[in-house]
Structures are given as C-alpha cells and as structure tokens.
Amino acid sequence: GINPAKVIGSGTILDTARFRSLLGEHLGVAPVSVHACVVGEHGDSEVLLWSSAKVGGVSIQDYARQMGVSLTEERKSQIDDGVRHAAYRIIENKGATYYGIGAGIAQIVQAIRDDERRVLTISNLTTGVEAFKGICLSLPRVVGLKGVLTELRPELSSEEHLMLQKSADILKEAAVSLKMI
C-alpha cells in the first residue's frame, strides 16, 4: 500500500562513489568531476558503466588521452576489482562497512529532505525499462521530496546491457525465492 516512489534502497550508491573515486584518482581529477555509475545489484553482478563515464562532459577515454594518462583494459580491470570487492576488504580490515552505508543513507535522506532532485544510483521498483519492469535494482534516479521522481535510462554498450540483464535475473530469482513476486 505504500507508494513505490517512497520505497528506496541504498542500491549501488557506495559502489558508484567508489567508482568515481578510483577513476578520479587514476585520471588526476576530483571525483565530483567524474560522472560514472554502477547499476544492477549491489554485489558481485553489479555493472560498472564504462561506456557512459565522463569527466567534464568528455568521455573518460578522451579525457585520459588529453591528459596523457593510460587507461588500459588492465587498469580498468583493476578499478573494477577495487569497486566490486571494496566491501570485502573493508570488512576484513575494519569488521564492517556501516560508516560508508551510513554516509550513503545520509545522502539519500538529504536529497529527500532538501528536495534536491539529485541523481543517485539507488534501488527502487523498476518501471521505465521494460526488460527490468517489476524488479528492484539500482539505476540512476532523481530523488527529491516525494522520493524517486524519475528513473533514468543510461546508454549501455551491448556488453553492459547483457551484464545488467544477468544482474536483474539474479535479483528476480532472489525475489521469487522469497515469494516477493
């Protein structure tokens, strides 16, 4: 009975922050200038959207070339690993990831409280992408006073689309096993 726009999960908000941070570190630019996101499941099947990642409106490949920074497949794989396995490393070293998730939830709450209409990669009932309709997964969404205001559809490479479909299938299987759908 609750409006689905007001049912929000933290999704890949931390993974997106890690992705931007690691890209910024490698490219020599502040993470706030990096526009990149992680979609799908928060977990092993999450998808880093390399094809649409930008710095100041410039693709990361072009930015890296302009700055004379190498962005090889090997380096991209290292960044992917750093994003995908960060939680395991944090738990191993600190015992938990509650500070990070607390900061992520604070961002969501602030976006709602201040009606920021901020784009966050949060989990919500997917409605606008037919292939993922009815599944709760992370996509970039505009968040404001009324909760999720808009669901965005990032451009995906064919490989990213297949990976996102796999991630959505994993989430759907989990929901079915819990008799949620």
Side-chain angles (χ1 to χ4, degrees):
I2 298 173
N3 178 351
K6 294 186 176 189
V7 181
I8 298 171
S10 60
T12 57
I13 196 168
L14 289 180
D15 309 285
T16 293
R18 289 183 189 115
F19 188 28
R20 292 175 180 174
S21 179
L22 291 173
L23 271 174
E25 182 180 309
H26 179 70
L27 297 171
V29 66
V32 296
S33 297
V34 177
H35 299 280
C37 62
V38 178
V39 296
E41 168 199 30
H42 166 66
D44 293 336
S45 75
E46 65 192 20
V47 182
L48 284 68
L49 298 185
W50 289 96
S51 67
S52 60
K54 296 183 184 303
V55 174
V58 177
S59 76
I60 58 165
Q61 291 294 353
D62 287 344
Y63 181 86
R65 194 171 20 263
Q66 289 176 27
M67 296 296 119
V69 177
S70 176
L71 189 58
T72 63
E73 289 303 315
E74 180 182 344
R75 185 64 185 131
K76 288 167 75 174
S77 180
Q78 290 169 346
I79 290 171
D80 183 286
D81 181 69
V83 172
R84 195 174 302 277
H85 299 109
Y88 301 121
R89 291 184 188 103
I90 292 167
I91 290 168
E92 185 178 307
N93 292 320
K94 293 185 178 180
T97 61
Y98 40 76
Y99 292 114
I101 197 60
I105 291 170
Q107 286 182 352
I108 296 167
V109 169
Q110 182 177 337
I112 294 168
R113 181 195 68 198
D114 298 342
D115 197 20
E116 289 181 336
R117 298 172 178 261
R118 183 172 175 182
V119 177
L120 299 169
T121 53
I122 56 164
S123 180
N124 184 251
L125 184 64
T126 305
T127 58
V129 183
E130 193 59 40
F132 311 126
K133 201 170 194 167
I135 301 170
C136 293
L137 57 86
S138 291
L139 289 172
R141 292 181 164 96
V142 179
V143 179
L145 188 61
K146 294 182 180 179
V148 174
L149 305 174
T150 307
E151 179 177 281
L152 304 177
R153 295 169 200 93
E155 288 186 34
L156 306 173
S157 69
S158 55
E159 181 183 2
E160 290 167 344
H161 181 77
L162 290 173
M163 291 168 62
L164 183 56
Q165 184 63 59
K166 180 181 175 187
S167 188
D169 290 345
I170 289 169
L171 290 167
K172 186 174 186 175
E173 283 178 33
V176 167
S177 75
L178 295 171
K179 297 180 172 87
M180 294 175 69
I181 57 173

